């Protein structure tokens, strides 16, 4: 039997996931990174995007919004500001958030409003992408 990684995803509100997996791919602040068992330890800031993990030949998706990843040889801990499994994402809510963000971008009065609207748009698009990926894979 091959060695596994323990993947734990935690937000300030709850533990989203705790599972043994074969591989983890995450949206690092400087680009996506991948982790297999026995990886060298490191810390990374996370961006807004979709984390995915593989287990028993299936790919599962989780939306994450910022935070940090701690990698050790046998464990990946994700401390995220927000995280949702693909199947838990409310598509209608994500679409409405996308529309609101696009409207705010169109009428942004200053750089702060514009930056907030851009971040909101990135989050809503990542949720929609994650949810659609989960649908296609039929997993999560």
């Amino acid at each position: 039997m091959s060695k596994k990684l323990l993947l734990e995803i935690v937000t300030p509100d709850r533990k989203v996931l705790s599972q043994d997996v074969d591989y983890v791919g995450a949206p690092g602040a400087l680009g996506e990174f991948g982790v297999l068992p026995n990886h060298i330890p490191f810390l990374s800031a996370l961006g807004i995007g979709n984390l995915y993990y593989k287990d028993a030949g299936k790919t599962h998706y989780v939306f994450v919004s910022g935070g940090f990843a701690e990698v050790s040889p046998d464990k990946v801990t994700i401390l995220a500001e927000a995280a949702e499994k693909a199947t838990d994402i409310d598509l209608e809510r994500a679409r409405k958030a996308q529309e609101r963000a696009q409207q705010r971008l169109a009428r942004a009065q200053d750089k702060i409003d514009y930056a907030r609207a851009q971040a909101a748009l990135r989050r809503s698009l990542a949720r929609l992408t994650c949810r659609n990926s989960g649908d296609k894979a039929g997993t999560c």
Side-chain angles (χ1 to χ4, degrees), residues 6-102:
L6 175 60
L7 171 60
E8 289 193 334
I9 302 174
V10 181
T11 69
D13 300 333
R14 66 191 175 99
K15 184 181 286 189
V16 175
L17 181 79
S18 182
Q19 183 173 333
D20 288 327
V21 302
D22 298 316
Y23 175 83
V24 176
L30 299 176
E32 185 177 313
F33 61 87
V35 180
L36 289 166
N38 295 317
H39 199 287
I40 189 167
F42 74 93
L43 293 171
S44 176
L46 294 174
I48 296 168
N50 297 315
L51 175 143
Y52 66 98
Y53 60 95
K54 295 183 179 186
D55 183 38
K58 294 181 182 177
T59 303
H60 307 269
Y61 296 87
V62 179
F63 162 79
V64 293
S65 178
F68 296 91
E70 179 182 17
V71 175
S72 66
D74 60 352
K75 184 176 181 182
V76 176
T77 303
I78 304 294
L79 304 171
E81 294 171 19
E84 296 174 82
K85 292 180 183 179
T87 55
D88 294 341
I89 294 172
D90 181 337
L91 282 175
E92 187 60 29
R93 182 173 158 241
R95 285 189 187 108
K96 287 180 181 178
Q98 177 187 8
E99 291 170 11
R100 282 192 310 273
Q102 289 171 330

Side-chain angles (χ1 to χ4, degrees), residues 4 17 24 29 52 56 69 75 92 102 108 111 114 125 127-128 132:
K4 299 267 196 172
L17 181 79
V24 176
Y52 66 98
K75 184 176 181 182
E92 187 60 29
Q102 289 171 330
K111 290 181 183 178
Y114 191 79
L125 291 173
R127 276 188 173 97
L128 289 168
N132 290 334

